[in-house]
Amino acid sequence: MNLHRRSFLTMSASLLTVATTAALWPLRALAQWVRPDAAFEAKAMDAVYASLGGVPEASSEIVFGTPEIAENGAVVPVSVTSKIPGTDQIAILVEMNPNPLVAMFMFPEGTEPMVSTRVKVAQTCKLHALAHAQRQVVQHLARDQGHAGWVRGLRKQRFVAAGVQLTINRSSPWATRCASAQPPPTASLK
Amino acid sequence: MGNPMRIRATTTNGVTEVKALMSHPMETGLRKDPSGAPIPAHHIKNVTAKHNDKVVLAAEWGAAVSQNPFLQFRFNGGAPGDKVSIQWTDNTGDSRTDEVVLT
């Protein structure tokens, strides 16, 4: 086995890994989009991550626009911007809600990876945002004898998360009822 | 068929900013009415925004988006006279589409 062959094999292996990751994350193109019902019904952050395809890496490239203290838990303005090039999805999660996953937004080419909305927050807890980015990275494969040098588009994926603390002054009726089914708020304040 | 939504879309320097206010109860299904009977879930599940015929934003929502949802986003392109439309579909199968002409 020569060196080129080895590097090609390594490359194939890494390509395979990327492909597997891609298969787990439900979206590649809008046309193939399927609503991740399991993620929306999940009752814990870990379960949401699991049904979305894995644990995201922490990132400082997600910018939040949220109040530190929200007067009304039923209407909390949230804006999330991703600074990662190639971001095609942003998800908003509220850690202590009965179902943490609030919303997912898909950004086709040409739409800025930024979204602003209002969400219900059951109690003082952390707000999380996930961003998924995918870029075509051109890879030059081994220039083996007989091959004129391959160029292959490799999909490079990133799946990141960031969180921000949010204090709720007044719980909404929705929140009060939901909060009773949850552990006390102190559990989230580590 | 819910009430009409309010959409405002403005183009500045080649970037179109869209703000929409939908009219929807967004019931979580976890609340109870005064008699103690659970109020069934009734919330928007899917939102699609289009610039002319091109999809510029798609969203999947759970019940934790606030009542009468607000949505703001930006996309590149858009010229005065273009149409921006937003469609939502809720968990009962109800849907509504509203459109606005860019100014």
Side-chain angles (χ1 to χ4, degrees):
Chain A
M1 187 193 280
N2 64 37
L3 205 72
H4 290 309
R5 182 170 146 78
R6 181 172 291 278
S7 68
F8 174 73
L9 284 175
T10 321
M11 186 69 72
S12 315
S14 66
L15 210 67
L16 198 73
T17 323
V18 170
T20 322
T21 326
L24 287 167
W25 184 267
L27 174 79
R28 263 132 297 138
L30 278 173
Q32 308 164 6
W33 174 251
V34 181
R35 180 184 168 94
D37 279 314
F40 276 97
E41 283 158 22
K43 297 201 187 302
M45 297 284 289
D46 295 351
V48 175
Y49 291 154
S51 49
L52 288 181
V55 178
E57 47 170 311
S59 169
S60 56
E61 290 162 287
I62 296 174
V63 182
F64 285 96
T66 52
E68 277 174 28
I69 300 171
E71 282 301 322
N72 184 357
V75 188
V76 180
V78 177
S79 78
V80 178
T81 308
S82 165
K83 288 194 208 159
I84 303 163
T87 301
D88 54 12
Q89 280 181 68
I90 288 179
I92 300 174
L93 293 90
V94 179
E95 196 169 289
M96 300 298 273
N97 270 7
N99 304 109
L101 182 57
V102 175
M104 295 180 81
F105 300 89
M106 279 68 71
F107 306 95
E109 197 100 16
T111 303
E112 289 181 20
M114 165 270 170
V115 73
S116 180
T117 185
R118 292 173 191 156
V119 303
K120 297 173 196 163
V121 179
Q123 58 188 284
T124 294
C125 68
K126 238 178 164 182
L127 192 90
H128 297 260
L130 308 179
H132 176 258
Q134 190 164 267
R135 268 195 301 170
Q136 285 284 336
V137 179
V138 175
Q139 287 270 356
H140 293 270
L141 294 190
R143 229 179 252 273
D144 215 337
Q145 296 97 327
H147 291 293
W150 294 4
V151 179
R152 191 174 218 159
L154 192 73
R155 282 168 179 275
K156 193 177 178 192
Q157 293 221 3
R158 285 191 69 194
F159 181 31
V160 302
V164 65
Q165 183 68 32
L166 193 71
T167 308
I168 301 297
N169 268 0
R170 182 159 59 89
S171 300
S172 65
W174 178 88
T176 320
R177 203 159 292 278
C178 296
S180 61
Q182 292 288 324
T186 45
S188 68
L189 301 171
K190 279 164 193 153
Chain B
M1 194 80 179
N3 292 322
M5 51 187 122
R6 280 159 55 194
I7 307 172
R8 199 161 57 193
T10 46
T11 303
T12 35
N13 302 328
V15 178
T16 303
E17 176 152 51
V18 182
K19 289 181 185 177
L21 198 57
M22 302 162 205
S23 171
H24 203 281
M26 298 299 285
E27 276 297 343
T28 57
L30 298 165
R31 291 205 310 155
K32 287 178 179 154
D33 67 13
S35 67
I39 303 170
H42 186 205
H43 61 87
I44 294 176
K45 284 184 95 169
N46 181 283
V47 180
T48 310
K50 285 180 178 174
H51 166 227
N52 291 332
D53 286 325
K54 182 186 178 275
V55 174
V56 285
L57 182 82
E60 295 288 343
W61 287 359
V65 173
S66 297
Q67 186 181 26
N68 296 332
F70 169 78
L71 176 66
Q72 181 186 355
F73 64 96
R74 287 194 285 263
F75 65 87
N76 297 328
D82 286 359
K83 280 177 188 160
V84 171
S85 70
I86 297 180
Q87 180 187 41
W88 56 251
T89 311
D90 70 17
N91 64 332
T92 62
D94 196 7
S95 77
R96 176 163 188 108
T97 310
D98 284 282
E99 67 173 33
V100 71
V101 175
L102 271 181
T103 52

